[in-house]
Amino acid sequence: MKYLLAIFLVFLPYVKGEDCLWNRDTDFPEYPSLLMNEATWQSYLPVLEGTERVIRVCQGASIVIACPGSTISATGTEVAEGVCAGGTYVTVDGKNYDMKDLGCESRVSETLASLSGSCGNDNDGVYICFDPDLEITIYTKHLLRGESVKATDSNPSRPSFKSSSGIYSVSPNTCYEIDSQKTLMKNILGDSSVIDDSNSYYFARGHLSPDADFNTEMESDATYYYVNAVPQVANYQQWKFQETAIRDLAASHQTDFQIWTGPYDILELDDTDGDPVICELSTNKCLGVITSNNPYIDSFPDPICDDICNEISWIDFDVNDLTRGAVYCCKVQDLHAAIPDAPNISGAGLLDN
């Protein structure tokens, strides 16, 4: 007797026990959704493996899929809860979807939300402490994800800065115009020549939480609000060197850094500063960095704390270059003593390397 041996090959969309793995550049649709860890509410971000930017999620882990201001293509909803099914698949309401099916119908949009109460509560994204009476930002706070620093989206475009109704009594955009700055200096000082756009001696829109600290294009674009900006001398480059040094440090440590940034004092063409505080969360080591924003000083300003920049190995640029902005470093305890709005980090060590 002969038997017919039938072999059925069933190609499953995932392999049981396999983690989810997505290539950020090939496995996502045109308008990718936000993927968040349901337990921590932090975004799942890519890391660099060789030359590929990949996102890994454990099999069976919960994933919140969100398209703020849009809808998810496969579900028609703004938010959905899913589970990593392995490979490139996520299970939503009992059905397996490839990541390319879980994109957004249109580009997602950020929300500027007003939170009542005093400053200091943690929040995802960029947290902004704003004084509505003085109409000034006291500080911003954001998380720099060290593992993902080298795997950010390529974002060649720079959106225009945005405001929001009810925040300012004047137009921030008008205030930053060169002619407006010259008029202001003429009215205050009787001389508009201190604003010299031919030498880049004017005030640009300076990010507090910088766009380059964020991994995705949508997150970077969300930093372009006037409440996340302060007037910054256009030709000063120390802020750029400083931000790059912090990102390099986070990438080398492969850990998350909490960063507070805010302005300090009033520019009297004599003394004004911006002060970021950087803390590595895994070690509770911190540093305060003060950068002068006055292009007309001809000597190093008096520090508001004991300057310890010479003890900090990752400060790899010339902190004494007055043409780019004087820089000095503080222990966070000393910075808080001098500026009460600076964070008070209990038991913080020194982020010196």
Side-chain angles (χ1 to χ4, degrees):
M1 181 179 294
K2 296 182 179 180
Y3 294 91
L4 177 63
L5 179 62
I7 300 176
F8 295 93
L9 298 179
V10 179
F11 293 93
L12 298 176
Y14 64 94
V15 178
K16 186 176 181 180
E18 180 186 9
D19 290 343
C20 287
L21 175 64
W22 298 288
N23 184 305
R24 185 64 179 81
D25 298 306
T26 60
D27 293 332
F28 285 80
E30 179 182 4
Y31 301 118
S33 54
L34 294 175
L35 305 179
M36 291 175 288
N37 185 317
E38 189 176 33
T40 64
W41 285 100
Q42 289 186 355
S43 297
Y44 286 112
L45 297 178
V47 297
L48 198 63
E49 294 187 1
T51 59
E52 295 185 342
R53 302 189 306 146
V54 300
I55 297 176
R56 291 182 180 272
V57 178
C58 293
Q59 199 275 339
S62 297
I63 303 173
V64 176
I65 306 152
C67 290
S70 182
T71 56
I72 303 168
S73 298
T75 65
T77 59
E78 190 173 17
V79 180
E81 295 184 9
V83 175
C84 165
T88 61
Y89 285 81
V90 177
T91 302
V92 178
D93 292 333
K95 184 177 180 180
N96 291 328
Y97 293 97
D98 186 87
M99 183 53 66
K100 289 184 177 179
D101 299 322
L102 293 173
C104 305
E105 286 295 303
S106 59
R107 197 176 188 279
V108 303
S109 57
E110 74 282 349
T111 300
L112 189 63
S114 176
L115 304 176
S116 60
S118 59
C119 292
N121 297 320
D122 289 340
N123 197 56
D124 293 324
V126 178
Y127 177 82
I128 299 171
C129 179
F130 184 80
D131 187 324
D133 295 324
L134 297 177
E135 298 183 7
I136 59 172
T137 296
I138 299 172
Y139 65 82
T140 68
K141 177 183 177 183
H142 71 279
L143 189 67
L144 176 62
R145 307 280 293 277
E147 287 186 333
S148 298
V149 165
K150 301 299 183 182
T152 57
D153 285 350
S154 175
N155 187 12
S157 64
R158 290 173 60 91
S160 299
F161 272 84
K162 302 176 285 288
S163 185
S164 184
S165 60
I167 293 182
Y168 296 105
S169 58
V170 297
S171 166
N173 188 60
T174 300
C175 292
Y176 277 100
E177 292 175 353
I178 300 297
D179 287 344
S180 295
Q181 294 183 36
K182 289 182 176 180
T183 299
L184 179 63
M185 293 300 107
K186 178 69 174 178
N187 292 339
I188 295 176
L189 303 174
D191 182 8
S192 64
S193 64
V194 293
I195 302 299
D196 182 3
D197 50 314
S198 63
N199 289 316
S200 294
Y201 276 15
Y202 63 90
F203 294 105
R205 301 160 179 84
H207 274 84
L208 291 171
S209 290
D211 56 349
D213 277 10
F214 294 88
N215 184 275
T216 66
E217 181 178 350
M218 61 192 84
E219 290 172 318
S220 295
D221 286 355
T223 65
Y224 284 81
Y225 277 89
Y226 279 108
V227 290
N228 185 43
V230 292
Q232 185 178 68
V233 177
N235 74 331
Y236 270 23
Q237 295 294 305
Q238 297 289 46
W239 60 269
K240 181 178 181 180
F241 301 148
Q242 179 179 292
E243 291 171 3
T244 300
I246 294 170
R247 284 191 290 272
D248 288 344
L249 183 68
S252 66
H253 285 207
Q254 292 286 285
T255 56
D256 293 345
F257 281 52
Q258 194 79 261
I259 301 175
W260 293 258
T261 311
Y264 169 66
D265 214 345
I266 298 173
L267 176 62
E268 297 177 347
L269 292 181
D270 180 42
D271 180 34
T272 188
D273 305 292
D275 50 287
V277 172
I278 311 102
C279 287
E280 183 177 26
L281 297 182
S282 62
T283 62
N284 199 34
K285 292 183 177 180
C286 305
L287 182 71
V289 184
I290 311 296
T291 305
S292 172
N293 195 36
N294 188 343
Y296 290 101
I297 58 174
D298 54 12
S299 61
F300 202 88
D302 292 331
I304 60 174
C305 64
D306 290 334
D307 183 9
I308 56 172
C309 275
N310 61 348
E311 301 177 26
I312 312 302
S313 63
W314 57 271
I315 298 287
D316 56 0
F317 51 91
D318 184 2
V319 297
N320 298 307
D321 186 352
L322 297 182
T323 65
R324 296 180 182 273
V327 176
Y328 57 94
C329 306
C330 304
K331 293 180 179 179
V332 291
Q333 296 87 348
D334 295 341
L335 184 63
H336 177 71
I339 308 175
D341 285 326
N344 185 14
I345 313 297
S346 177
L350 183 62
L351 185 61
D352 53 355
N353 55 50

